[in-house]
């Protein structure tokens, strides 16, 4: 699969996740989607990431801000249903929830 084809599949599934969330009583707002190489270099310099390269730089990752009953969720556990749904959409989908520290992150490997 070409990078472009993966990007198309990722974005379609990201849209399906957002629609699923809305249909199941969650509210989500957009977090980071595409990250430039320049921004990633700044993030490394500031110690915000240790990843040499992020899937955000390849347009294969997106972050969502989750709200339940209007309250922004800052802990990991509320994101679990979204992680489960995300992984059901494609065998290459990876949920940051499973890493234990990046629950609002959804990517395709
Ligand atoms: Zn992310």
């Amino acid at each position: 699969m070409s990078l472009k084809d993966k990007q198309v599949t990722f974005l379609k599934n990201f849209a399906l996740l957002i629609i699923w969330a809305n249909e199941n009583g969650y509210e989500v707002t957009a977090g980071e989607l595409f990250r430039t190489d320049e921004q990633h270099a700044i993030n490394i310099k500031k110690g915000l990431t240790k990843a040499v390269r992020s899937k955000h730089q390849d347009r294969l990752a997106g972050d969502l801000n989750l709200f339940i009953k209007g309250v922004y969720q800052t802990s990991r556990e509320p994101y679990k249903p979204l992680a489960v749904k995300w992984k059901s959409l494609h065998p290459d989908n990876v949920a940051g929830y499973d890493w234990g520290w990046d629950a609002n992150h959804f990517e395709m490997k």
Side-chain angles (χ1 to χ4, degrees):
M1 191 186 290
S2 72
L3 178 58
K4 185 274 293 174
D5 287 347
K6 284 183 77 169
Q7 291 168 332
V8 168
T9 300
F10 164 78
L11 196 63
K12 182 195 77 176
N13 286 330
F14 199 54
L16 290 173
L17 177 67
I18 294 166
I19 292 166
W20 178 89
N22 277 269
E23 289 176 345
N24 285 274
Y26 300 103
E27 292 178 306
V28 292
T29 64
E32 187 173 13
L33 189 66
F34 176 62
R35 181 185 303 166
T36 64
D37 293 346
E38 291 77 13
Q39 184 61 54
H40 193 67
I42 291 168
N43 289 1
I44 291 173
K45 197 172 180 181
K46 286 183 173 178
L48 299 174
T49 182
K50 290 175 181 168
V52 174
R53 185 160 184 89
S54 166
K55 289 292 184 183
H56 285 288
Q57 291 169 275
D58 295 329
R59 301 179 196 273
L60 292 173
D63 301 333
L64 294 174
N65 305 310
L66 174 62
F67 293 79
I68 297 176
K69 295 186 169 109
V71 178
Y72 177 51
Q73 301 297 306
T74 58
S75 64
R76 174 176 175 249
E77 210 50 38
Y79 285 87
K80 185 174 184 178
L82 281 80
V84 170
K85 179 62 181 176
W86 177 243
K87 290 184 287 183
S88 78
L89 292 170
H90 195 282
D92 290 341
N93 282 359
V94 175
Y97 171 87
D98 292 325
W99 305 338
W101 53 273
D102 206 8
N104 72 334
H105 175 94
F106 304 88
E107 73 173 46
M108 186 179 180
K109 65 182 178 187

